[in-house]
Amino acid sequence: MTLYTERPLFSRRTAAEYRQTIKGRLRHMRKLCNLSQAQAAKAAGVARSTWQAWESPARDALPDAAQLAAVADAARIEPAAALDWLIGGAERKQL
Protein backbone atom coordinates (compact mmCIF):
# COMPACT_ATOMS: atom_id res chain seq x y z
CA MET A 1 0.00 0.00 0.00
CA THR A 2 1.42 3.36 -1.06
CA LEU A 3 0.67 6.40 1.05
CA TYR A 4 2.15 8.90 -1.37
CA THR A 5 0.80 10.09 -4.68
CA GLU A 6 2.64 10.89 -7.87
CA ARG A 7 1.55 14.52 -7.56
CA PRO A 8 4.15 16.77 -5.94
CA LEU A 9 3.21 18.25 -2.59
CA PHE A 10 3.83 21.79 -3.76
CA SER A 11 3.29 23.19 -7.20
CA ARG A 12 6.29 24.55 -9.04
CA ARG A 13 4.44 27.51 -10.53
CA THR A 14 5.85 30.99 -10.43
CA ALA A 15 3.93 33.94 -9.00
CA ALA A 16 3.40 35.21 -12.55
CA GLU A 17 1.81 31.88 -13.55
CA TYR A 18 -0.55 32.02 -10.57
CA ARG A 19 -1.42 35.62 -11.45
CA GLN A 20 -2.30 34.67 -15.03
CA THR A 21 -4.34 31.66 -13.84
CA ILE A 22 -6.37 33.85 -11.49
CA LYS A 23 -6.92 36.55 -14.12
CA GLY A 24 -8.06 34.06 -16.76
CA ARG A 25 -10.35 32.20 -14.39
CA LEU A 26 -11.80 35.41 -13.01
CA ARG A 27 -12.83 36.44 -16.51
CA HIS A 28 -14.13 32.92 -17.26
CA MET A 29 -16.24 32.88 -14.08
CA ARG A 30 -17.67 36.33 -14.87
CA LYS A 31 -18.67 35.23 -18.36
CA LEU A 32 -20.17 31.95 -17.13
CA CYS A 33 -22.39 33.97 -14.81
CA ASN A 34 -23.39 36.34 -17.61
CA LEU A 35 -22.04 39.36 -15.74
CA SER A 36 -20.61 42.41 -17.43
CA GLN A 37 -17.45 43.94 -16.01
CA ALA A 38 -19.59 46.74 -14.57
CA GLN A 39 -21.94 44.27 -12.85
CA ALA A 40 -19.07 42.21 -11.46
CA ALA A 41 -17.31 45.36 -10.26
CA LYS A 42 -20.47 46.52 -8.49
CA ALA A 43 -20.80 43.13 -6.78
CA ALA A 44 -17.18 43.36 -5.62
CA GLY A 45 -17.61 46.96 -4.50
CA VAL A 46 -14.97 48.40 -6.83
CA ALA A 47 -14.84 50.64 -9.89
CA ARG A 48 -15.15 49.13 -13.36
CA SER A 49 -11.59 50.25 -14.14
CA THR A 50 -10.37 48.23 -11.16
CA TRP A 51 -12.16 45.15 -12.45
CA GLN A 52 -10.61 45.70 -15.88
CA ALA A 53 -7.16 45.81 -14.26
CA TRP A 54 -7.88 42.51 -12.49
CA GLU A 55 -8.67 40.81 -15.81
CA SER A 56 -5.91 42.46 -17.84
CA PRO A 57 -2.86 40.22 -18.35
CA ALA A 58 -0.68 43.32 -18.67
CA ARG A 59 -1.46 44.59 -15.16
CA ASP A 60 -0.30 43.12 -11.84
CA ALA A 61 -3.46 44.04 -9.92
CA LEU A 62 -5.43 41.24 -8.24
CA PRO A 63 -8.52 41.30 -6.02
CA ASP A 64 -8.35 40.35 -2.39
CA ALA A 65 -10.18 37.31 -1.01
CA ALA A 66 -13.11 39.33 0.36
CA GLN A 67 -13.75 40.93 -3.03
CA LEU A 68 -13.58 37.56 -4.79
CA ALA A 69 -15.97 36.07 -2.24
CA ALA A 70 -18.44 38.92 -2.83
CA VAL A 71 -18.40 38.30 -6.58
CA ALA A 72 -18.83 34.55 -6.12
CA ASP A 73 -21.73 35.15 -3.75
CA ALA A 74 -23.38 37.53 -6.23
CA ALA A 75 -22.95 34.89 -8.95
CA ARG A 76 -24.55 32.29 -6.64
CA ILE A 77 -21.38 30.21 -6.42
CA GLU A 78 -20.13 28.85 -3.10
CA PRO A 79 -17.36 31.37 -2.25
CA ALA A 80 -14.94 28.75 -0.89
CA ALA A 81 -15.26 26.60 -4.02
CA ALA A 82 -14.88 29.64 -6.27
CA LEU A 83 -11.76 30.82 -4.44
CA ASP A 84 -10.19 27.36 -4.63
CA TRP A 85 -10.95 27.11 -8.34
CA LEU A 86 -9.67 30.64 -9.06
CA ILE A 87 -6.25 29.98 -7.59
CA GLY A 88 -5.86 26.84 -9.66
CA GLY A 89 -7.07 24.17 -7.29
CA ALA A 90 -9.03 21.20 -8.57
CA GLU A 91 -8.24 21.60 -12.27
CA ARG A 92 -11.14 19.37 -13.19
CA LYS A 93 -13.70 21.00 -10.89
CA GLN A 94 -16.78 22.47 -12.54
CA LEU A 95 -18.37 25.62 -11.17
Side-chain angles (χ1 to χ4, degrees):
M1 180 167 121
T2 304
L3 297 176
Y4 299 99
T5 65
E6 295 296 319
R7 190 175 137 240
L9 182 59
F10 297 103
S11 174
R12 299 199 193 281
R13 295 184 202 174
T14 65
E17 290 172 323
Y18 274 114
R19 189 177 300 109
Q20 292 309 314
T21 298
I22 292 169
K23 286 176 175 289
R25 288 183 175 202
L26 186 62
R27 181 177 184 177
H28 182 71
M29 182 177 77
R30 177 182 60 80
K31 288 187 171 196
L32 281 176
C33 297
N34 293 320
L35 295 173
S36 67
Q37 285 184 335
Q39 291 168 322
K42 184 177 179 180
V46 298
R48 182 173 178 263
S49 60
T50 301
W51 187 275
Q52 285 176 319
W54 291 347
E55 287 188 6
S56 172
R59 307 273 304 271
D60 285 341
L62 286 176
D64 64 24
Q67 292 163 328
L68 287 173
V71 173
D73 191 46
R76 299 186 185 272
I77 299 171
E78 171 62 37
L83 293 173
D84 180 50
W85 180 77
L86 281 168
I87 61 169
E91 295 290 335
R92 63 191 174 282
K93 185 184 288 185
Q94 297 288 326
L95 286 182

